Amino acid sequence: MTDTPARFAFVKAQWHADIVDRALEGFANLIDSAQIDVFDVPGAFEMPLKAQQLAKTGKYDAVICAAFVVDGGIYRHDFVAAAVVDGLMRVGLDTGVPVLSVSLTPHHYHETEHHNAIYRAHFVEKGREAARAALTIVTPAAA
């Protein structure tokens, strides 16, 4: 039996990076940063493919993906969010590597300091929740 610490890939979408990056901060509150490899992608839509590439390497016990999908006024953000979450689920099912989502799609977001502060804090907490989930998934149950 090996005592090798778990390895995690953390994928972050760069749209609203000032908010999304807080998820990694929360995740690293509970998991040693030496166990986390960080990957940036342009937006949420690119996360499933990156998650698949990382899962297939066999290096990671879990892949965590974080994004903030907001209504841009041109497209239906709920369609984008659904496609991303469905894609992430498919990656996990196809590869057997857990893929966790910290992808949030608020109904009402305005780019004000008040909303930004709320979502930055929320992403820290969501990152912690993802860390707890990841540790639960990769830690074998006591026999």
Side-chain angles (χ1 to χ4, degrees), residues 15 28 40 49 93 139:
W15 280 98
D40 290 328
L49 179 59
L93 293 172
T139 304

Side-chain angles (χ1 to χ4, degrees), residues 40-111:
D40 290 328
V41 294
F45 208 72
E46 290 79 21
M47 290 192 314
L49 179 59
K50 187 63 171 181
Q52 180 186 58
Q53 292 167 342
L54 294 167
K56 285 183 174 182
T57 67
K59 289 175 51 176
Y60 300 104
D61 296 287
V63 178
I64 297 79
C65 297
F68 190 49
V69 182
V70 299
D71 185 353
I74 296 171
Y75 61 88
R76 293 286 306 268
H77 66 292
D78 48 342
F79 293 148
V80 172
V84 168
V85 172
D86 289 348
L88 295 176
M89 177 62 73
R90 193 176 108 215
V91 169
L93 293 172
D94 290 351
T95 65
V97 175
V99 178
L100 305 175
S101 174
V102 183
S103 300
L104 302 179
T105 307
H107 287 289
H108 303 288
Y109 169 73
H110 302 285
E111 212 159 336

Side-chain angles (χ1 to χ4, degrees), residues 8 10 21-36 120-132 135:
F8 302 98
F10 199 102
D21 288 354
R22 301 293 74 79
L24 176 59
E25 178 184 320
F27 192 81
N29 285 166
L30 301 177
I31 295 177
D32 187 339
S33 60
Q35 294 174 254
I36 307 167
R120 279 192 294 267
H122 192 60
F123 264 80
V124 171
E125 183 52 37
K126 288 299 181 185
R128 287 187 196 115
E129 289 174 9
R132 286 190 284 275
L135 290 171

